[in-house]
Amino acid sequence: MYQKGRAWIEISLSSLKFNVDQLKKILPPECMLMPAVKANAYGHGGKLVSLALQEMGVEHFCVATAEEGIELRNAGILGEILVLGYTHPRQFELLLEYQLTQTVVDCGYAQKLQQHGAEFAVHIGIDTGMHRLGEDWENTDSIQKLWEYSNLKITGVFSHLCTADGRTKEEQEFTRLQIVRFQHVIQELKLAGKSGFTCHLQGSYGILNYPDCCFEYARPGIILYGIFSRHEKRNDIYLRPVLSLRTRVECIKELAPGETAGYGMAYTAEQKRKIAVLSIGYADGIPREIAGKAYVLCKGKKAPVIGRICMDQMLVDVTEIEHIYSDDEVVLIGQSGPEQVRAEDYAVWADTITNEVVSRLGQRLERILVF
Ligand SMILES: *Cc1c(COP(=O)(O)O)cnc(C)c1O
């Protein structure tokens, strides 16, 4: 395959390194990064990003599924890989074969691991109020009993904050409550003489908004990629977007007044218009919802998205852009001359969060490392 053919993602190594260094500055020196590289590293390319992070000295990683963990092992990731999600007992053998650390999603799940008959490295998930995965924080007795399971090698205990990005008093109070509950569980375990495990609680917004609640690891996802979940001006941290998304012009067309473009004749040219057909669509992760709101960048200028997004193409109005031809490069996320489009803009246009926007960027997009 030729590089930069149809549509592609450029991953900036220097920006990734910059963000890693910024996060290390916020976190105390003894706190280690355990980046979330699940969902293909939030669409950035799981292998590419994880190997780059490993080069930068990162030794611990979290993924969502056993398959994601296997992909990283096969790519040469040597350190700890924690599977944050549920792994079906039929896949337990894979955890052993690829030396993946499994989350204990509750005490019943621990029993299934025990019964399998081989030793698993595990981190115990604690539910401190999110009510997703983890054993209920109040069941300290059952949590302590997990250490009696001969087949569990317990190397970690963790929980997850569900509203650390919240700015309301209620959300902040709830986060503080989750932190206190987690600390309580750890204290009980230590009092009962349990040791030899690491603790972790903070994801991106735990790091940003609750920098005082550090444990041995922190699990940044979205901010590691230099993206906030929503548009946000922060003075406490500066991050650089790691990803830029690019495509090419397939064709240029002239529309006469009254002519329509795209499916459902959703766009009508009021006057004479020049449009460009781009070789990227919703199958590549471009949300259909952005039509009529978004713009792309070409030759340092904005070109509004028109009509409906197709599976493999989209249309933009390039009437105002001179000298634009087939094969010209177009920026969907990133910088072009003085203009910039951020993943945060897509989150607004599609009425979602950036985490969803980037993690949906498709398999057809080539991922290329740049400096
Ligand atoms: C996805 C995930 C993270 C990372 O979340 P961000 O908000 O992107 O930093 C951390 N911990 C758990 C358990 C997760 O599922």
Side-chain angles (χ1 to χ4, degrees), residues 206-217:
I207 297 170
L208 292 181
N209 296 339
Y210 301 87
D212 57 318
C213 75
C214 292
F215 294 90
E216 284 84 10
Y217 297 158

Side-chain angles (χ1 to χ4, degrees), residues 34-36 38 42 62-64 84 132 158-161 200-207 219-225 229 355:
M34 189 187 214
K38 57 192 182 185
Y42 291 48
C62 350
V63 294
L84 294 168
R132 191 174 65 175
F158 75 100
S159 187
H160 193 46
L161 302 172
H200 45 106
L201 179 63
Q202 299 159 298
S204 292
Y205 283 87
I207 297 170
R219 307 183 304 266
I222 195 72
I223 58 169
L224 184 73
Y225 308 104
S229 284
N355 310 49

Side-chain angles (χ1 to χ4, degrees), residues 22-68:
Q22 290 298 98
L23 292 181
K24 281 187 183 162
K25 272 188 217 162
I26 299 181
L27 295 164
E30 62 278 10
C31 180
M32 301 226 261
L33 290 181
M34 189 187 214
V37 289
K38 57 192 182 185
N40 203 19
Y42 291 48
H44 289 59
K47 287 187 269 189
L48 205 79
V49 167
S50 303
L51 287 172
L53 289 168
Q54 181 166 264
E55 283 282 305
M56 294 170 201
V58 173
E59 293 175 24
H60 310 272
F61 297 87
C62 350
V63 294
T65 70
E67 285 85 352
E68 289 177 349

Side-chain angles (χ1 to χ4, degrees), residues 234-253:
R234 296 189 74 111
N235 302 322
D236 52 339
I237 187 162
Y238 175 71
L239 299 165
R240 291 191 190 153
V242 170
L243 167 150
S244 76
L245 176 62
R246 287 151 197 268
T247 186
R248 290 193 188 279
V249 173
E250 294 183 326
C251 310
I252 303 283
K253 310 227 169 217

Side-chain angles (χ1 to χ4, degrees), residues 41 76 83 110 167 186 266 270 285 333 350 363:
V83 179
R167 293 300 200 173
I186 293 166
E270 304 272 314
I333 298 176
Q363 292 299 331

